[in-house]
Amino acid sequence: MSVPSTPPGAVAKDAAAPRRTAREILALKTKGEKVVVVTAYDYPTARLVDEAGAEIILVGDSLGMVVLGYESTLPVTMSDMLHHVRAVMRAKPRALVVADMPFMSFQTGPRDALRNAGRLVQKGGADAVKLEGGARVAEAVRAIVEAGIPVMGHVGLTPQSVLTMGGYRVQGRGEDEAARVMRDAKLLEACGAFSVVLEGVPKDLAREVTKALKIPTIGIGAGVECDGQVLVWHDVMGLWFGRPAKFVRRYADLGESARGGLERFVSDVKAKRFPNDDESYGA
Ligand code: KIV
């Protein structure tokens, strides 16, 4: 009996490329080069995102919604994050891997924040962490950076605050709110963050914050004048089950393609068209 030499789904291993660093990401702003960030939560996606040339892979807590089927990011745990960060790290990407700090892993104070950031790096293998919030997380950001872990900030629409925001609403509209977003972003820079995500803010405000900071701003729903852009893998690939947000642009339609392929598979099996002789082993 002959056996397959390559198990289904197996891939050849490439030599590991040197990982990008947070310093390199900072330097892109000086060079005027846009930073590309895409989320990934597993090995094959991380390989595809990396091979496409994104500088940063974000293992976002959006995984709770797009992979685990929760209605918000609030149920995501440290053990969920560690599981998915490890899967991404097995892809040995050239891209810098940023791990999101899930809800309640840092809101309880700088000590917990530092401990959990340390776990994402030590046990997960991440290169950097991201946490949501401005002034209220400043001490946590400072402590994590002082411990030697690069931090990406996240201001504007912060999904972990969905309960207090009363929904996923654009933030920073009106003078007071805009001033708060600006203050928060500057404070994160002062605390040592190497970049900051600006989510769901008016494009004029994003432009002003981008001008005011030395570190790169990474926009999502924040207009074209941020230093970089981040999108969620499932949004880019059209793998959604509801209506995507206004800021999403679909670059492929994997959802439709998968549906069509699966329908053909079901119909071939039912009609005994799969497998054929070439797809079967002889004696
Ligand atoms: O969790 C996530 O994917 C994020 C990005 C959308 C910025 O925080």
Side-chain angles (χ1 to χ4, degrees):
M1 188 180 82
S2 73
V3 289
S5 54
T6 315
V11 285
K13 294 267 183 251
D14 297 332
R19 186 73 44 73
R20 288 186 192 279
T21 64
R23 283 174 79 98
E24 279 175 56
I25 303 299
L26 258 165
L28 293 177
K29 176 154 182 159
T30 323
K31 288 193 233 158
E33 195 180 322
K34 295 280 187 189
V35 184
V36 182
V37 186
V38 183
T39 69
Y41 317 96
D42 57 31
Y43 173 89
T45 312
R47 292 225 19 178
L48 290 168
V49 170
D50 195 47
E51 285 163 21
E55 281 93 7
I56 298 180
I57 294 174
L58 171 64
V59 189
D61 64 348
S62 49
L63 95 89
M65 298 172 81
V66 296
V67 175
L68 304 178
Y70 294 129
E71 288 193 354
S72 76
T73 57
L74 302 186
V76 176
T77 62
M78 275 296 295
S79 99
D80 292 331
M81 290 306 304
L82 283 167
H83 180 74
H84 288 273
V85 171
R86 287 188 190 118
V88 164
M89 295 316 296
R90 278 178 219 121
K92 298 188 172 54
R94 161 108 174 88
L96 184 87
V97 177
V98 178
D100 235 343
M101 299 198 64
F103 184 55
M104 297 315 285
S105 68
F106 63 92
Q107 285 89 345
T108 45
R111 251 179 101 86
D112 286 347
L114 179 55
R115 194 171 53 84
N116 285 318
R119 288 173 70 201
L120 289 167
V121 171
Q122 236 176 7
K123 298 194 187 303
D127 303 309
V129 299
K130 174 169 85 58
L131 61 164
E132 296 182 7
R136 67 191 157 82
V137 298
E139 283 320 304
V141 171
R142 212 186 288 279
I144 298 168
V145 173
E146 272 173 15
I149 300 172
V151 172
M152 176 182 270
H154 184 158
V155 298
L157 194 169
T158 47
Q160 289 177 17
S161 312
V162 61
L163 300 177
T164 46
M165 284 185 309
Y168 299 103
R169 299 169 191 286
V170 173
Q171 303 290 302
R173 283 195 169 131
E175 266 179 41
D176 288 354
E177 266 208 35
R180 182 173 53 81
V181 172
M182 176 67 88
R183 244 188 347 263
D184 281 345
K186 284 182 173 170
L187 184 55
L188 291 171
E189 174 172 276
C191 290
F194 76 95
S195 61
V196 61
V197 168
L198 298 181
E199 178 166 356
V201 299
K203 59 185 186 340
D204 292 352
L205 171 60
R207 186 188 57 237
E208 291 313 308
V209 174
T210 300
K211 271 201 257 168
L213 298 190
K214 291 197 180 64
I215 59 173
T217 58
I218 311 293
I220 175 162
V224 74
E225 293 193 62
C226 295
D227 297 304
Q229 297 290 331
V230 52
L231 280 177
V232 166
W233 163 264
H234 295 68
D235 288 342
V236 180
M237 292 297 149
L239 276 167
W240 55 62
F241 292 92
R243 197 163 57 91
K246 173 184 167 71
F247 55 78
V248 166
R249 189 184 296 175
R250 189 180 68 188
Y251 284 86
D253 200 347
L254 296 197
E256 269 315 293
S257 166
R259 269 189 199 98
L262 287 167
E263 279 164 17
R264 287 198 305 283
F265 177 56
V266 168
S267 121
D268 281 358
V269 171
K270 298 280 184 198
K272 302 186 188 166
R273 285 189 298 268
F274 177 85
N276 61 23
D277 265 2
D278 291 345
E279 292 156 339
S280 306
Y281 294 110

